[in-house]
């Protein structure tokens, strides 16, 4: 272009850049269609993680959250509450609807004439007391037990360019008690009615916790790798599984922007900070904030009677002279929640080792689901393209 005028050379460069961008978008859309077809075929067979909403175009800002002034709780029995207070257990004060009556109706409905309302109320109280006893015993044994405000799911509503998660407030004790109550009826009608086209608001009482988790993708020079965490059997629910790189519970703390709206992306960034030790400043250096996607949201329904709402995603960490693999590994070693959440981490090459890893290891349902989809994104050459948009 040295023989052309500067204006013409600039125009040609812009035109070639535009052509290149169009070709890349065409290739990306073509490959996304192949990926979507592959995913739909597989999802029809998988029953352990049921996605309700899928961000098949992998758009940023696809998932939004809206908190409503509604609270649902299960009251801790007075005598158990007093003992928990003596053990310095933090109590959360919720003034909203008590879910005990809701669960009583569910029990009566599930078991039909086999259980009366009074018997159902007695069962509910027993499950709640057992939950309180578990907390008390765990605290006495030195295990970490806490309470905090959580967001639950009122509804999931599709929009033109995404979806909105409508939220209510609950707490950790309610979530644990609800799990016990759910397990009592898990072999009945409620499980059979769950499907991808289910109306989530039918399950609102059981969805009083939202997990936000996913994988970190890194490249140490030999191709993309997924960072897996092995869940600690001592301190984590569903310990003994290979799981996400990060997984946190969506809470009031997860807000982004001046308006302070709840943000799922904010929860991801907090999880990456607390569980992997990548601080806010380092997140800018390694590109996590710009290289993050939330893929889908759905219900975990596993053989060990987990029934939870989970939002799944992934993020790429780029290494450079300003942020190295050594920085990443040292950050994990000293991360706030690393020891609590994971016993160890491993780096699995997507190209060469992921298929074998998925076959040979025991993964949590949500981790298996997402890892399989990331493998297909890699096979269809989509991963790099979406982060270049």
């Amino acid at each position: 272009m040295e023989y052309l005028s500067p204006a013409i050379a600039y125009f040609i460069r812009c035109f070639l850049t535009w052509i290149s961008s169009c070709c890349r978008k065409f290739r990306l859309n073509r490959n996304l269609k192949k990926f979507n077809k592959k995913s739909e075929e597989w999802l029809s067979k998988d029953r352990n993680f049921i996605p309700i909403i899928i961000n098949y175009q992998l758009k940023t800002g696809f998932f939004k959250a809206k908190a409503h002034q509604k609270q649902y709780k299960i009251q801790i029995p007075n005598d158990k509450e007093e003992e928990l207070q003596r053990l310095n257990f933090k109590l959360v004060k919720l003034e909203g609807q008590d879910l005990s009556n809701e669960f009583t109706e569910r029990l009566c409905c599930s078991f039909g004439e086999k259980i009366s309302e009074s018997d159902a109320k007695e069962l509910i109280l027993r499950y709640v007391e057992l939950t309180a006893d578990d907390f008390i015993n765990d605290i006495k044994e030195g295990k970490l037990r806490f309470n905090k405000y959580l967001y639950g799911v009122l509804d999931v509503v599709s929009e033109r360019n995404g979806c909105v998660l409508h939220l209510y407030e609950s707490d950790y004790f309610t979530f644990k008690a609800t799990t016990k109550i759910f397990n009592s009826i898990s072999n009945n009608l409620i499980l059979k009615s769950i499907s991808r086209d289910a109306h989530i608001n039918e399950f609102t009482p059981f969805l009083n916790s939202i997990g936000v988790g996913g994988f970190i993708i890194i490249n140490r020079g030999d191709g993309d790798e997924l960072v897996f965490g092995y869940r600690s059997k001592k301190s984590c629910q569903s310990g003994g599984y290979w799981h996400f790189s990060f997984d946190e519970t969506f809470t009031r703390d997860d807000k982004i922007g001046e308006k302070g709206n709840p943000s799922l992306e904010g929860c991801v960034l907090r999880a990456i900070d607390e569980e992997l030790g990548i601080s806010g400043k380092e997140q800018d250096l390694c590109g996590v904030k710009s290289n993050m996607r939330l893929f889908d949201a759905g219900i975990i329904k596993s053989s060990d009677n987990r029934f939870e709402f989970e939002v799944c995603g992934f993020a790429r960490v780029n290494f450079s002279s300003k942020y190295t693999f050594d920085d990443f590994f040292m950050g994990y070693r000293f991360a706030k929640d690393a020891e609590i959440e994971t016993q160890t981490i491993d780096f699995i090459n997507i190209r060469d080792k992921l298929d074998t890893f998925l076959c040979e290891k025991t993964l949590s349902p949500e981790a298996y689901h997402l890892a399989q989809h990331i493998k297909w994104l890699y096979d269809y050459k989509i991963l790099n393209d979406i982060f270049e948009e």
Side-chain angles (χ1 to χ4, degrees):
M1 296 185 185
E2 57 185 302
Y3 302 108
L4 302 175
S5 68
I8 294 176
Y10 174 76
F11 173 80
I12 292 174
R13 284 196 298 271
C14 291
F15 178 74
L16 292 175
T17 300
W18 177 77
I19 289 292
S20 176
S21 175
C22 289
C23 290
R24 185 182 59 77
K25 288 182 178 179
F26 174 80
R27 181 178 68 247
L28 176 60
N29 288 333
R30 180 193 61 196
N31 290 337
L32 279 171
K33 288 180 180 179
K34 295 179 182 178
F35 166 73
N36 295 352
K37 183 179 179 180
K38 180 78 171 180
S39 173
E40 288 293 334
E41 292 173 354
W42 186 76
L43 289 175
S44 64
K45 303 173 185 177
D46 181 35
R47 300 299 300 164
N48 292 319
F49 182 83
I50 303 172
I52 304 300
I53 295 290
I54 303 176
N55 179 15
Y56 269 141
Q57 295 301 310
L58 296 170
K59 297 177 181 176
T60 57
F62 181 87
F63 291 95
K64 298 178 178 64
K66 182 177 181 180
H68 295 262
Q69 292 183 340
K70 292 186 177 182
Q71 296 181 333
Y72 296 94
K73 62 176 176 121
I74 287 180
Q75 182 63 47
I76 303 174
N78 290 336
D79 59 329
K80 307 292 183 182
E81 183 176 295
E82 290 173 2
E83 187 169 0
L84 283 166
Q85 283 184 303
R86 287 195 296 270
L87 294 169
N88 297 318
F89 179 76
K90 180 183 177 182
L91 295 174
V92 169
K93 296 297 182 182
L94 293 171
E95 304 299 332
Q97 179 179 334
D98 191 329
L99 287 173
S100 297
N101 292 333
E102 175 79 32
F103 292 138
T104 298
E105 292 178 8
R106 293 284 180 133
L107 279 171
C108 292
C109 176
S110 295
F111 290 102
E113 297 179 356
K114 295 181 180 179
I115 185 169
S116 66
E117 183 176 338
S118 60
D119 288 340
K121 287 182 177 180
E122 186 177 333
L123 280 173
I124 297 298
L125 179 59
R126 189 172 74 193
Y127 298 135
V128 175
E129 289 181 337
L130 284 171
T131 304
D133 287 338
D134 287 345
F135 275 58
I136 291 168
N137 292 333
D138 286 346
I139 294 171
K140 288 180 177 179
E141 292 175 7
K143 295 180 181 179
L144 181 64
R145 275 294 170 259
F146 55 89
N147 206 14
K148 61 181 178 181
Y149 291 99
L150 305 180
Y151 283 127
V153 182
L154 274 175
D155 206 353
V156 178
V157 179
S158 297
E159 294 188 336
R160 182 176 180 182
N161 294 313
C163 80
V164 178
L165 269 62
H166 293 270
L167 313 174
Y168 65 87
E169 281 194 331
S170 188
D171 69 348
Y172 187 68
F173 181 86
T174 296
F175 165 59
K176 298 301 288 186
T178 297
T179 300
K180 285 190 180 296
I181 295 167
F182 174 78
N183 288 345
S184 71
I185 59 175
S186 61
N187 294 322
N188 291 278
L189 297 176
I190 187 169
L191 273 180
K192 296 177 182 178
S193 63
I194 301 170
S195 64
R196 289 186 59 193
D197 57 355
H199 296 290
I200 284 296
N201 54 14
E202 296 177 8
F203 308 105
T204 286
F206 298 98
L207 300 177
N208 38 47
S209 174
I210 302 172
V212 182
F215 287 108
I216 291 294
I217 302 170
I218 64 172
N219 190 329
R220 294 181 288 172
D222 192 30
D224 286 337
E225 297 174 304
L226 290 188
V227 181
F228 279 88
Y230 186 74
R231 299 281 279 183
S232 172
K233 292 182 179 181
K234 292 183 179 180
S235 56
C236 279
Q237 182 179 357
S238 299
Y241 287 102
W242 285 97
H243 191 53
F244 291 144
S245 316
F246 58 87
D247 195 7
E248 270 292 349
T249 304
F250 195 23
T251 73
R252 285 179 174 181
D253 298 331
D254 302 314
K255 296 179 179 179
I256 288 181
E258 296 179 358
K259 295 182 179 179
N261 293 321
S263 166
L264 293 161
E265 287 82 2
C267 188
V268 170
L269 297 178
R270 177 171 65 85
I272 290 173
D273 182 356
E274 295 181 359
E275 297 182 19
L276 294 171
I278 306 176
S279 66
K281 182 179 179 180
E282 290 172 326
Q283 289 172 7
D284 291 326
L285 293 175
C286 67
V288 160
K289 292 180 180 178
S290 57
N291 292 330
M292 172 174 54
R293 293 292 189 279
L294 295 177
F295 176 61
D296 60 8
I299 293 176
I300 304 162
K301 181 173 69 72
S302 66
S303 58
D304 58 354
N305 289 326
R306 291 175 61 207
F307 186 75
E308 302 173 34
F309 194 87
E310 184 83 23
V311 180
C312 303
F314 51 89
R316 183 185 291 281
V317 167
N318 295 319
F319 297 130
S320 66
S321 60
K322 295 181 179 179
Y323 186 80
T324 66
F325 176 74
D326 288 340
D327 294 326
F328 172 84
F329 194 74
M330 289 299 293
Y332 164 72
R333 287 188 62 189
F334 294 100
K336 176 183 174 183
D337 292 342
E339 186 176 348
I340 299 171
E341 300 292 342
T342 58
Q343 185 173 317
T344 186
I345 57 174
D346 202 357
F347 310 97
I348 307 301
N349 188 284
I350 299 176
R351 179 189 63 229
D352 299 329
K353 298 182 179 179
L354 185 56
D355 285 335
T356 301
F357 187 85
L358 295 180
C359 291
E360 295 181 350
K361 302 297 183 180
T362 303
L363 277 69
S364 64
E366 61 272 37
Y368 184 89
H369 162 85
L370 184 60
Q372 183 64 77
H373 279 80
I374 291 175
K375 179 62 167 65
W376 293 329
L377 288 172
Y378 179 88
D379 289 344
Y380 288 121
K381 306 184 186 305
I382 295 171
L383 272 182
N384 288 331
D385 279 348
I386 62 171
F387 291 132
E388 290 175 4
E389 284 188 303

